[in-house]
Amino acid sequence: MESPLKDVKQLLSSKNGIEKKMLLRDLHEIIVDAETPEETAIRLSLYPAQTSAARIGHDLKIFETLAASGPKTLEELQAQTNAHPITLGRILRYMASVGMVREPSVGLFEANKKCENLADPGAVTIVTHFFENTGPLFQEMPAFLRNSKYQDVTDGKATVFQPAYHTDLDTYTWFSHNPENRSALIKYMGMEQSVRGRWLNEYPFATESTDCEAGEPVFVDVGGSVGHYCALFKTHYPSVPGRVILEDMPSTLEHALPTSDVETLGHDFFEPQPVKGAKYYHLGWVLHNWNDEKSKHILRQIKSAMTSKSTLLINDMVLPETGVPAYSAALDLVMLGACGSRERRLKEWQELLTDAGLVLKDCIIYNKELCHGIIKVALA
C-alpha cells in the first residue's frame, strides 16, 4: 500500500498550477466514490466546524506557535493562550481529528503540513475575511432563496446579506459602519492584488503608450480602493509619461497607499467621470459587485469621458462556459448573496458592453486557474 501512495505523492510534487488542481480534483473524486451516502452527508455537513476551528486557531495563535516552536503540551499551550484547559483540549482534539495539527501522544501537539499552511500570514487573512464576511451569507442563503422562490437576486438592498447580518443597510454602507469587517476585507483585497495585478505583465502598455504625454491623464483607476493597481502601474511602467489618478469615495481615499506621483480624486463612479480623455480607464473588480443595470450606468459614466484614443480596461472574472473552477463558482455565490450581482461569462460581458454603447476589442485570460481576465474596451 505504501508504494502506490508514494507514487501519488511524487506525482503531486511534480505538478503545479492547473495540472495540480485537476489531479487533486481527480483524487478527491476517487475518495468520494468510495464513500457511503452517510459519509458524504456528514463530511459536507461538518465542513463549517473546520472553518470555525481554523478561526479559533488563528485567534489563539496555535498554528503559528506549533509551526515556529515545535511540539507543545496542552499545559504549555494553555499557559500561552489563557484558555480553559478543558475547552482548549477539546478544540485541539478536534483539530487533530481533521488533520490541522498532530497529536503524537496524549496531551502533546505538534505541527504538520496543514498546520504550517494555516500559520502563514496569508492564510490568516483569507480565513478571517471569508469567515467573518461570507460565512453568515452561506448559512442564510438556503432560507433566503427558499423564501424568494429561487428568483434572480439583483437588488443590492434585498439580498442574503441583510438577514444574514441583521441589517437594513446595503453591503457597502454596512462595511463603512463596521471597521473590523472592513479591515478584514481591505487586507484580503490587498493580498489579492498581487494575483489580480498580474495582467499588468500581459497587457502591451509599452507599445500602446508611445503617444502619451506628461501632464495628460494616462491611467485612471476608477473605484480603485486604496490604490494597489496605481502602485503596481507605477512600479511596472515608471517611464510611461502622464498622470496616474486614483478615484474612489473620500472615506476610502483616507486610507490610500502613499505611492509617489499618484494623484487621488474623490469620485462616485455613478456620477459623470471628471477626468476627460485619459489614455486608460481601469475598472478593477468593480462591475462584479453590481447587477447589469448598475454596471451599465457605471460604464456610461466612463464612456462620456472617453475619446477615440481612450481604452477602458476591465479587470474582472471571466467565467468559462463549462467547467468553472470551484473557487470561482463560490465567489459567484458570494456576489449573489452580498451584492445581488454576479461573475460573468465572456458572452455576458459582450452583451453588457454592447448595451452600454461600447465594444469589446480583446480579452486576455491572464490566470486560467482563477478565471481572471483583462477586457479591452473602446467606444462603439
Side-chain angles (χ1 to χ4, degrees), residues 43-297:
R43 176 173 53 81
L44 291 174
S45 299
L46 294 181
Y47 266 148
Q50 293 192 42
T51 314
S52 295
R55 187 74 177 93
I56 294 167
H58 287 149
D59 282 345
L60 296 178
K61 300 189 182 302
I62 289 171
F63 308 122
E64 296 94 322
T65 299
L66 294 180
S69 305
K72 295 289 183 183
T73 64
L74 174 60
E75 290 75 17
E76 288 172 323
L77 290 170
Q78 190 276 326
Q80 175 182 309
T81 62
N82 292 319
H84 193 283
I86 293 178
T87 299
L88 182 60
R90 296 167 72 181
I91 292 168
L92 286 165
R93 283 195 297 272
Y94 174 75
M95 289 179 175
S97 76
V98 294
M100 290 184 176
V101 300
R102 288 189 69 247
E103 188 179 14
S105 61
V106 177
L108 182 66
F109 300 91
E110 65 182 11
N112 55 12
K113 178 58 176 175
K114 188 179 288 188
C115 176
E116 292 170 355
N117 286 345
L118 288 169
D120 184 83
V124 178
T125 297
I126 292 168
V127 170
T128 301
H129 165 63
F130 280 110
F131 184 85
E132 302 295 343
N133 294 335
T134 71
L137 293 176
F138 291 123
Q139 183 70 27
E140 182 66 31
M141 191 172 290
F144 179 91
L145 293 176
R146 189 186 310 122
N147 293 335
S148 66
K149 308 299 183 185
Y150 301 94
Q151 298 303 297
D152 193 14
V153 183
T154 59
D155 184 352
K157 294 183 178 180
T159 68
V160 183
F161 188 87
Q162 284 72 36
Y165 286 89
H166 309 289
T167 181
D168 293 327
L169 301 174
D170 64 76
T171 303
Y172 312 102
T173 305
W174 186 88
F175 271 108
S176 69
H177 292 168
N178 291 270
E180 289 187 8
N181 293 78
R182 178 185 174 87
S183 176
L185 173 63
I186 290 176
K187 194 170 182 179
Y188 171 75
M189 293 302 297
M191 187 185 77
E192 279 287 287
Q193 304 316 317
S194 64
V195 177
R196 297 177 180 181
R198 290 177 187 171
W199 67 273
L200 287 155
N201 299 321
E202 304 286 340
Y203 195 82
F205 281 109
T207 56
E208 284 192 2
S209 303
T210 54
D211 60 344
C212 294
E213 298 181 6
E216 296 298 319
V218 61
F219 186 82
V220 180
D221 195 7
V222 184
S225 187
V226 297
H228 292 102
Y229 291 117
C230 287
L232 287 169
F233 183 85
K234 294 295 293 184
T235 299
H236 282 73
Y237 302 100
S239 62
V240 172
R243 297 160 57 204
V244 175
I245 303 169
L246 168 64
E247 295 182 344
D248 213 302
M249 300 298 285
S251 60
T252 299
L253 294 179
E254 291 175 2
H255 307 281
L257 301 175
T259 307
S260 178
D261 296 325
V262 172
E263 304 173 34
T264 58
L265 178 63
H267 173 58
D268 179 346
F269 47 53
F270 288 110
E271 300 298 325
Q273 171 57 236
V275 181
K276 309 296 183 182
K279 177 67 175 180
Y280 299 106
Y281 295 93
H282 173 248
L283 283 171
W285 298 82
V286 170
L287 297 183
H288 78 147
N289 293 322
W290 301 97
N291 64 31
D292 285 354
E293 291 308 310
K294 293 284 189 180
S295 293
K296 283 185 275 190
H297 185 81

Side-chain angles (χ1 to χ4, degrees), residues 357-376:
L358 295 163
V359 176
L360 191 155
K361 290 292 187 179
D362 194 12
C363 179
I364 301 170
I365 304 299
Y366 62 90
N367 190 320
K368 293 182 180 179
E369 185 179 343
L370 299 175
C371 306
H372 293 178
I374 187 74
I375 302 170
K376 181 179 180 180

Side-chain angles (χ1 to χ4, degrees), residues 268-344:
D268 179 346
F269 47 53
F270 288 110
E271 300 298 325
Q273 171 57 236
V275 181
K276 309 296 183 182
K279 177 67 175 180
Y280 299 106
Y281 295 93
H282 173 248
L283 283 171
W285 298 82
V286 170
L287 297 183
H288 78 147
N289 293 322
W290 301 97
N291 64 31
D292 285 354
E293 291 308 310
K294 293 284 189 180
S295 293
K296 283 185 275 190
H297 185 81
I298 294 169
L299 290 168
R300 290 181 181 121
Q301 300 303 327
I302 298 173
K303 175 191 170 187
S304 68
M306 293 172 67
T307 69
S308 59
K309 295 183 178 181
S310 298
T311 295
L312 169 60
L313 298 171
I314 300 175
N315 179 21
D316 218 311
M317 197 172 285
V318 182
L319 299 178
E321 290 296 323
T322 61
V324 178
Y327 176 76
S328 302
L331 287 189
D332 185 37
L333 292 183
V334 171
M335 303 321 298
L336 179 154
C339 306
S341 59
R342 57 180 168 151
E343 308 295 355
R344 296 177 173 93

